[in-house]
Amino acid sequence: MPEPGARARAYHESTKHSLERLRTARHMLDWENQPLPFKIYPGLEGRPLARVLVPGRTSAIRAMLDPPSPFRAGELPSTDAVARILQASLGIVRRRELDDGRIHYFRAAPCTGALYHVDAYLVCGDLPDVEAGVYHFGPQDAGLRRLRSGDCRSVLAAATGGEESVIGAPLVLVLASTYWRNAWKYQARAYRHVFWDGGTIVAHVVAQAAADGWPVRVVAGFADEPVERLCALDPRREGVIALLPIGSGAVAASPREPERIELDSGAAPDSGTEPERIELATEPLSRHEIDYPEIREAHSAGTLSAGADARRWREMAPAAVAERGGGLPLPPANDPEERPLEEVVVRRGSSRRFRTEPISLAALATILRCAAAPLSADYRSDPAEPLVDLFIIALAVDGLRPGRYRWRPRAGELELLSPAAERRDAGHLDLGQELAADAAANVYAIADLDRVLGALRDRGYRAAQLDGGISGGRAYLAAYALGLGATGLTFFDDDVAEYFGLDPRRWGVMFLTAVGVPAKPLLR
């Protein structure tokens, strides 16, 4: 009998970076075949949403660590409320004209290679100024395009096996990736990026929703096919990442039958109702697409077939792990400038160079506390129990000796693993790039795959990668809120694990965020 998560492990092993694999790699970027960064439906008119993110009263740090109570629970979000969440996560925040006349669009949340392969679909009941339906959000014009009419939320309720946050949400965001838009550059390893980049977007959605007072939850357990059908996805080319119910407690799902979907309005939450299949034309992404079967195989490994399976999967979330004490206590979070979340989102970027200057211990503590902050997610047995641990290479932090550390979030302590930490080592682990070597600290999100896959099976791999992406997205926001820089980087998988004294057959690296003093002043 195969070990739990065997197919996910096989994918993870086959997509690890190593010196030998890089030396023998023959992949070249075909710039003439670069895919579009948007999913465009020709002929479907978009309803424009507000593009400007007006700063609110909640700082970025507070939105992650000490968010206001969900005072809007029970309310129905308006178009403006929806626009704020979408613009803060998937919206275009800046444009730059390139030398060849093309326009490069900078989006709110970071994405590997700036390829922006993740889309958002809204599934909602009647809202104050939006009719019930299924909508696609187009960042290119900040437009909502209706793909289906009528209230389809009961499909999601059934697919999740009666997840309470989904049943009671006036709207649910469905995040999905178009694989080719990222695999053009990263090939089969792009399946990891599905959840890395999905995770950074989730971090932004959760922060903005919290700042605006909307309850939100991350739901990774659902029957895949009904959700794919509902959003008119092509499962050979696209995969659903997560569901994000927003505003739970307002309206129960499915008060009326939709126009283009076959539902039994009295169906039980896991009765298996499935939407009618529809096909919607989209603009070709590029001249031709290359299929990477490894991506489809990895996604298929974690598929759930019915809502009852999703319900059982949630119940299998791994239990909390006891922390050892006796480490170095870090100071509490410090937010001296209290920059509003929306301001931080707009000014955030990805640093291309760091100065080799130190950051404060308070800054590192704040970044780590934000990255590991509690999260309402169905794959966590407790909001404060992430699937990833944070390991740190501290290179230039005032008041902290250089070394390799492990963050103990419940105790608020750093465990010293080794007093040795060299910039050249940090650079090597990052595929020899200078960014990691010049940074003040490198924060790795690493999962105990024995623990995660043993409990959550193959689908647990999705959840671990997603959790790593969320921690990275939060670290990004915290760094920029503090006036620092950050960037997400790739790595030599086994070398990283061994550097921290971990068994690479057991521990999988999920995300790397380098933080430090940016070489260029931040945007104002």
Side-chain angles (χ1 to χ4, degrees):
M1 186 174 180
E3 64 177 329
R7 293 166 69 188
R9 285 179 187 273
Y11 168 80
H12 187 70
E13 290 294 325
S14 71
T15 56
K16 285 182 173 180
H17 280 322
S18 67
L19 274 174
E20 181 60 28
R21 285 179 178 172
L22 288 188
R23 288 192 185 112
T24 58
R26 299 182 179 275
H27 180 58
M28 301 288 289
L29 293 180
D30 181 357
W31 293 102
E32 297 299 320
N33 197 44
Q34 183 176 0
L36 291 172
F38 305 111
K39 187 175 187 179
I40 299 174
Y41 297 88
L44 280 186
E45 185 108 10
R47 173 177 179 167
L49 300 179
R51 295 172 182 255
V52 178
L53 261 178
V54 179
R57 297 181 178 179
T58 304
S59 74
I61 301 298
R62 186 183 173 206
M64 292 182 281
L65 283 182
D66 184 28
S69 299
F71 54 87
R72 299 190 189 278
E75 293 185 29
L76 293 175
S78 65
T79 302
D80 286 345
V82 173
R84 285 175 63 79
I85 292 172
L86 290 172
Q87 285 297 118
S89 52
L90 294 106
I92 294 170
V93 294
R94 291 187 299 281
R95 294 167 170 80
R96 177 183 296 165
E97 185 172 351
L98 304 179
D99 293 339
D100 59 5
R102 292 181 300 133
I103 303 296
H104 181 73
Y105 299 94
F106 294 86
R107 305 272 278 271
C111 179
T112 47
L115 295 171
Y116 304 117
H117 54 101
V118 178
D119 285 279
Y121 302 81
L122 277 74
V123 182
C124 65
D126 285 320
L127 302 178
D129 40 11
V130 177
E131 293 182 0
V134 178
Y135 296 82
H136 173 264
F137 173 64
Q140 72 276 10
D141 60 2
L144 285 182
R145 287 167 173 79
R146 188 162 62 181
L147 310 184
R148 294 183 188 265
S149 299
D151 191 341
C152 304
R153 288 174 293 162
S154 65
V155 174
L156 301 182
T160 59
E163 161 66 34
E164 286 187 16
S165 62
V166 173
I167 291 174
L171 72 90
V172 180
L173 285 185
V174 179
L175 298 182
S177 167
T178 303
Y179 304 137
W180 169 239
R181 278 157 57 187
N182 195 264
W184 168 78
K185 180 174 183 179
Y186 297 104
Q187 302 177 279
R189 192 173 165 99
Y191 188 65
R192 298 187 184 205
H193 301 187
V194 167
F195 300 96
W196 293 3
D197 301 328
T200 60
I201 289 171
V202 169
H204 281 232
V205 169
V206 169
Q208 189 64 57
D212 290 345
W214 300 104
V216 62
R217 182 167 168 81
V218 183
V219 178
F222 50 85
D224 294 79
E225 186 179 3
V227 184
E228 293 165 354
R229 281 196 183 194
L230 183 65
C231 299
L233 303 182
D234 179 354
R236 298 167 299 178
R237 303 171 58 249
E238 299 170 295
V240 179
I241 300 167
L243 313 182
L244 304 175
I246 295 171
S248 295
V251 178
S254 290
R256 62 183 175 85
E257 186 176 349
E259 299 168 13
R260 300 187 63 183
I261 190 167
E262 297 175 359
L263 286 180
D264 173 6
S265 59
D270 60 351
S271 62
T273 53
E274 288 195 357
E276 173 190 359
R277 189 180 298 278
I278 61 173
E279 293 186 6
L280 299 168
T282 58
E283 292 282 357
L285 295 177
S286 54
R287 288 200 313 264
H288 64 274
E289 298 184 20
I290 298 173
D291 177 46
Y292 291 94
E294 304 95 322
I295 293 176
R296 287 185 281 105
E297 167 60 23
H299 199 67
S300 173
T303 296
L304 298 175
S305 300
D309 298 331
R311 187 168 58 249
R312 285 191 291 269
W313 183 81
R314 285 196 296 275
E315 295 168 352
M316 294 158 55
V321 176
E323 288 187 353
R324 287 181 291 178
L328 172 69
L330 289 194
N334 183 33
D335 189 8
E337 298 197 31
E338 297 188 352
R339 292 187 175 95
L341 171 65
E342 298 81 3
E343 179 186 317
V344 174
V345 167
V346 171
R347 77 204 299 260
R348 187 212 61 79
S350 288
S351 299
R352 290 291 167 255
R353 281 188 61 200
F354 291 117
R355 297 203 298 266
T356 55
E357 298 177 8
I359 64 174
S360 69
L361 184 59
L364 178 63
T366 302
I367 291 167
L368 294 176
R369 291 183 188 278
C370 287
L375 176 75
S376 177
D378 68 340
Y379 55 80
R380 291 189 176 191
S381 58
D382 181 293
E385 186 62 26
L387 298 187
V388 295
D389 289 290
L390 300 182
F391 291 79
I392 303 95
I393 304 175
L395 298 167
V397 181
D398 283 335
L400 183 69
R401 66 188 298 186
R404 310 169 205 179
Y405 295 86
R406 184 174 186 173
W407 174 237
R408 302 290 188 184
R410 291 183 182 273
E413 298 176 346
L414 280 178
E415 176 191 355
L416 178 63
L417 302 177
S418 170
E422 300 288 342
R423 290 190 182 274
R424 64 170 181 247
D425 295 334
H428 163 74
L429 297 175
D430 172 37
L431 274 58
Q433 300 181 75
E434 292 182 359
L435 272 166
D438 292 342
N442 287 249
V443 181
Y444 285 91
I446 305 180
D448 180 347
L449 292 180
D450 281 2
R451 171 176 174 256
V452 173
L453 299 183
L456 295 173
R457 306 304 196 258
D458 287 296
R459 197 179 185 92
Y461 186 71
R462 301 189 193 183
Q465 293 284 10
L466 182 66
D467 222 37
I470 293 169
S471 74
R474 286 171 153 182
Y476 253 108
L477 285 173
Y480 277 83
L482 297 171
L484 300 173
T487 192
L489 300 167
T490 194
F491 38 79
F492 288 125
D493 296 73
D494 288 356
D495 291 2
V496 171
E498 291 170 353
Y499 190 73
F500 289 108
L502 304 172
D503 181 351
R505 295 167 298 179
R506 172 174 177 175
W507 294 83
V509 186
M510 302 287 111
F511 205 91
L512 162 59
T513 313
V515 299
V517 179
K520 292 184 178 181
L522 298 179
L523 294 170
R524 296 289 178 182

